[in-house]
Amino acid sequence: MKNLLVIGVGPHARRSHLPALAAGQAAGLVGTICGVDVLGATNVVVAYDADDGPRSVPVTLVEPFDSRERTLPDGVRRTLDDLVARRGIDAVVVSTEPAYHVVYTRWALERGLSVLLDKPLGVRTDASTDPRQASATLADVDDLLVRYQAARGRHPEILVSVQSQRRYHPAFWRMRQLITEIAEETNCPVTSVQSFHSDGQWRLPDELLDLSYHGYDRGYGKCAHSGYHFFDIIPWLLAAGERSGKTSDTVKVHARVTRPTDLLAQLGVVDHERLFPGFAARNPYSTQELHTAARGFGEVDAFISMAFQSADRTMTLGSLNLVHNGFSQRGNFAPATGLGLYKDNGRVRQETHIIQQGPFQALHFHSLQTLDDGRCTNDRYAAGGDGHVEVHVFRNSRFRPAWAAHTRLDHGALTSTWEGQVAHPTQQSSRRRSSQEFLDYLNGRRTREQMRSELTSHRTAATLMAGAYLSMATQWTGGSSETTLSLGPTHTSVPSPARGPRADAAL
């Protein structure tokens, strides 16, 4: 059993990491669990809901420090080092605000500790407005990769795994397999991909300044939060169709964004006074004060175009539309649970991917969900249900009569098996599998080659995210809106998950 330290015990850790580690304790994989957070952000004991009921974890508080620090302040470092020694820590979970991911991971590598790292790998403050900070975001990742390689030289078993749960989602396993099948038969790569994600976060005007969770005040936003999943999953899927001579070496990226000041033009103070009785009394800011304070805040929505190229020839065109200001089911005036605008405050995930493989195949992934408000009588796995997910597969049956022209894979057909257990096509269960894999590795139940999301396989995703920020920042400063970046090593091979009989239906 391994002892774990969770750095950052905010809403995400309490809903995801801590329950997963508690399940690891029940399975005999985890010994003790303790946490670290900044003074003022939490209490010395944090409660959370585990599979077997309410639990709590002891938390050590450290002084807040500037995210621009490249090394931990001495006091914070001494506190962490003391925890490692006193509690016999074997590995850490880094679940802080994204701007702090790199500095804590560097510390862990120096101590020979394996890391389960939340997405993204890292981001610099003001990445959306300062081209130097946007470029430094990728430089930090490259530095982390160098440090990781050096740490593996000193500690061969050390591992950094990134929690990017769509790599663990059965629908994406299936799409990757379908892409591979067509590529093997036709030598055709993925030629275009269109991805959309919205997790509607209705933030009232005063909350732009007063709520810090997933705020924009650090000069970054949606792209460095849930948006990273799509910078990762797009090249992860593209890699399934790559063949010799058809791999991309550069990518051109162009981003257009809305920022909080744009939100105030779309739906402003006067609008909210009409929509919510009591808002005028609560809100201390004038429209001008909000505009002044929010200038330079990070992106709310980002529409990004990409061209993946090989020797100046375009192999794949991509579009990625990331939305925070989208469909929401928030109806309450104040956030419901004290968790800022995290879950339980009307955030609804809706997601689509449309993948074309030349004239041979099209894949349509849809997850069109609403939240259960107690009035829904429909199938929860149908469109509009809180568990909806489906993949439509279209194949050129006139070119290959053995191919089915259209196959629909619903929740049941996408339910698979993973390590002998049922793998449901949901984000929650996929996050749990990511944590389970990390714990299995720590306990010698899995090899490095069997890991789906090791740090070294994320450079392309980091490049795309940095490219989007560089495009935003250069536009902010009056420069060119398109940026071209070299692609590093592509994703390493990913082990094929075991599939249940439902996933083996003939296409």
Side-chain angles (χ1 to χ4, degrees), residues 228-242:
Y228 180 81
H229 288 300
F230 307 95
F231 293 119
D232 176 53
I233 204 62
I234 287 174
W236 191 82
L237 290 171
L238 298 188
E242 291 179 346

Side-chain angles (χ1 to χ4, degrees), residues 246-259:
K246 297 185 180 181
T247 59
S248 299
D249 49 39
T250 60
V251 62
K252 294 182 181 294
V253 182
H254 174 270
R256 287 289 185 183
V257 303
T258 58
R259 299 178 187 268

Side-chain angles (χ1 to χ4, degrees), residues 107-293:
W107 166 81
L109 292 176
E110 291 168 1
R111 297 296 176 269
L113 300 170
S114 289
V115 180
L116 178 59
L117 176 61
D118 249 349
K119 52 73 188 167
L121 278 57
V123 67
R124 288 285 188 104
T125 299
D126 296 328
S128 75
T129 58
D130 186 342
R132 295 169 300 177
Q133 300 306 314
S135 296
T137 293
L138 185 56
D140 285 344
V141 170
D142 285 336
D143 175 76
L144 202 59
L145 289 167
V146 170
R147 291 171 185 261
Y148 182 37
Q149 189 64 32
R152 286 184 58 185
R154 300 189 302 271
H155 310 281
E157 298 306 313
I158 197 172
L159 176 87
V160 179
S161 183
V162 182
Q163 190 173 68
S164 193
Q165 70 258 16
R166 280 164 183 76
R167 295 193 187 194
Y168 299 83
H169 193 294
F172 291 94
W173 298 345
R174 188 69 169 127
M175 289 193 293
R176 189 176 168 106
Q177 177 199 20
L178 294 166
I179 292 168
T180 298
E181 288 176 1
I182 294 300
E184 288 178 345
E185 184 161 350
T186 68
N187 205 34
C188 184
V190 172
T191 50
S192 72
V193 57
Q194 303 170 62
S195 294
F196 165 83
H197 180 261
S198 173
D199 51 351
Q201 185 194 103
W202 188 2
R203 189 176 289 252
L204 276 59
D206 60 329
E207 294 169 349
L208 291 169
L209 304 186
D210 294 344
L211 289 183
S212 60
Y213 183 78
H214 277 195
Y216 308 102
D217 56 323
R218 298 178 186 272
Y220 57 82
K222 169 74 173 180
C223 289
H225 291 133
S226 55
Y228 180 81
H229 288 300
F230 307 95
F231 293 119
D232 176 53
I233 204 62
I234 287 174
W236 191 82
L237 290 171
L238 298 188
E242 291 179 346
R243 292 297 179 269
S244 178
K246 297 185 180 181
T247 59
S248 299
D249 49 39
T250 60
V251 62
K252 294 182 181 294
V253 182
H254 174 270
R256 287 289 185 183
V257 303
T258 58
R259 299 178 187 268
T261 50
D262 299 309
L263 258 64
L264 293 169
Q266 296 166 350
L267 203 62
V269 171
V270 174
D271 297 309
H272 283 87
E273 288 175 348
R274 185 176 65 256
L275 293 168
F276 286 105
F279 177 72
R282 186 186 82 176
N283 172 40
Y285 309 109
S286 69
T287 297
Q288 184 56 52
E289 287 171 334
L290 287 166
H291 274 280
T292 300

